[in-house]
Amino acid sequence: MMHQVLKAFPDDKPITAISIVEDSSKCPPGFYVVSRTHDQDSDADLWKEANFFGRKITRYICLSKTEGIADYVVENIGVINEKETPPDGYCLIPRTIDSEQRAWRKRQMCYRLTRRNLALSAITDIILLGRAKKAPEGFSLAGDINSVLLCFKTGPLHQAPPCNTPLLGYSLNPLNNGDLRPAPRIPITCNNDSSPTHDYENLIRPKRPAPPRPPPAQSVYSTIAAYHGLEGIPFIMNAKLNSAPTTISGIPTVKARTQLELDKEYEYDFRLERQT
């Protein structure tokens, strides 16, 4: 009866956060607990350990479609061994959120978060099966956790509507021969005093004079205008630098010598240094 009511109100929003609780009545705010199996409507405990003495240990999955990291959704889930390293990009739930106890026994669930704008699909529902060995229609099988099958349902994410395309002044539909319709020519307006052949002359000799140079900025703490001392000084080369280069004198002439002459003049046997 409960499953029929849930099917009458489908929710295709993506799951954004997953947690584990020890007590099904202590589900955190913004989450809902999966406390019953989908096929038998029985207890959906994931610990499943026989305990004849002492307190019974239970573990339940809690899901949320509003909590978690902003702009992230659960894209995929899987089931691995308790001491197995999860695949790259997958997260683990090591502790219960209500009692800070170990969350899993023998087998555990891992899941992958992806930014909403990068994910093509996301998980919208997770169910547990107590007796069935096959995922129901519309669901995929993630794995087995202590004789309880974990199944999930995925759905596409709603993408933002495309932006409006601006209207063109001409058609892009091809003609009968397969060619595109040519774009209209850009009108060229010419003044009486200029023409396309004299654009360069009009550019280097503008008819409108240049605007006057603004006055130098004055400090708010003084009444005398600030000058840099270079106003009115033309930038020209020194006349000495423009003159023809003269012959450089004073450089000694290098005399060519043979190897025998060099050895005779600079030979030294380092005899004194060897004695010390």
Side-chain angles (χ1 to χ4, degrees):
M1 181 65 180
M2 180 63 67
H3 298 307
Q4 295 177 357
V5 174
L6 293 177
K7 289 182 180 179
F9 300 92
D11 184 6
D12 58 350
K13 295 181 180 179
I15 296 175
T16 57
I18 303 175
S19 62
I20 301 296
V21 294
E22 182 177 3
D23 189 350
S24 60
S25 62
K26 296 182 179 180
C27 188
F31 287 76
Y32 63 93
V33 62
V34 184
S35 59
R36 312 298 294 180
T37 59
H38 182 79
D39 56 343
Q40 293 181 308
D41 197 22
S42 58
D43 187 18
D45 174 30
L46 295 176
W47 193 265
K48 293 292 183 181
E49 183 180 21
N51 189 5
F52 301 100
F53 305 98
R55 182 175 59 90
K56 180 182 179 181
I57 301 177
T58 56
R59 297 291 185 269
Y60 298 95
I61 294 180
C62 294
L63 308 175
S64 176
K65 298 188 176 184
T66 57
E67 306 300 320
I69 304 176
D71 296 330
Y72 276 80
V73 295
V74 178
E75 186 182 23
N76 197 8
I77 63 174
V79 176
I80 59 176
N81 293 327
E82 183 181 9
K83 297 182 179 180
E84 185 179 351
T85 303
D88 293 340
Y90 280 74
C91 307
L92 295 177
I93 308 175
R95 297 284 179 178
T96 58
I97 197 171
D98 58 338
S99 59
E100 286 294 329
Q101 299 297 320
R102 184 161 60 99
W104 308 99
R105 183 180 69 88
K106 295 183 180 180
R107 304 274 286 174
Q108 63 178 336
M109 181 187 68
C110 58
Y111 64 97
R112 181 173 63 193
L113 291 173
T114 307
R115 292 191 68 92
R116 184 184 295 267
N117 58 349
L118 299 179
L120 299 178
S121 61
I123 294 179
T124 59
D125 194 11
I126 295 177
I127 61 174
L128 299 175
L129 303 179
R131 183 179 295 273
K133 301 301 180 182
K134 183 179 179 181
E137 183 180 357
F139 286 81
S140 301
L141 180 62
D144 173 88
I145 301 179
N146 299 327
S147 301
V148 178
L149 292 186
L150 180 67
C151 303
F152 62 94
K153 182 180 181 181
T154 59
L157 292 179
H158 299 289
Q159 302 294 337
C163 59
N164 296 329
T165 304
L167 298 178
L168 301 177
Y170 53 92
S171 175
L172 292 177
N173 297 327
L175 300 175
N176 295 332
N177 57 359
D179 297 335
L180 294 178
R181 298 180 184 273
R185 291 186 176 183
I186 301 176
I188 301 176
T189 57
C190 300
N191 298 329
N192 296 331
D193 299 335
S194 62
S195 62
T197 57
H198 297 83
D199 288 342
Y200 179 73
E201 297 179 2
N202 296 331
L203 179 63
I204 62 176
R205 292 184 298 179
K207 296 183 178 181
R208 189 178 65 178
R213 185 176 181 179
Q218 295 184 358
S219 174
V220 295
Y221 300 102
S222 63
T223 58
I224 302 177
Y227 290 93
H228 299 284
L230 299 177
E231 288 77 5
I233 300 178
F235 180 78
I236 58 176
M237 297 292 293
N238 194 322
K240 296 181 180 180
L241 299 177
N242 295 330
S243 60
T246 58
T247 304
I248 301 176
S249 60
I251 299 178
T253 303
V254 180
K255 182 180 179 181
R257 298 186 182 183
T258 62
Q259 183 67 32
L260 181 60
E261 293 176 345
L262 292 174
D263 294 341
K264 184 178 180 181
E265 184 175 356
Y266 299 104
E267 183 180 6
Y268 185 74
D269 56 1
F270 295 94
R271 185 180 305 170
L272 181 62
E273 286 77 6
R274 293 192 182 97
Q275 293 177 358
T276 58

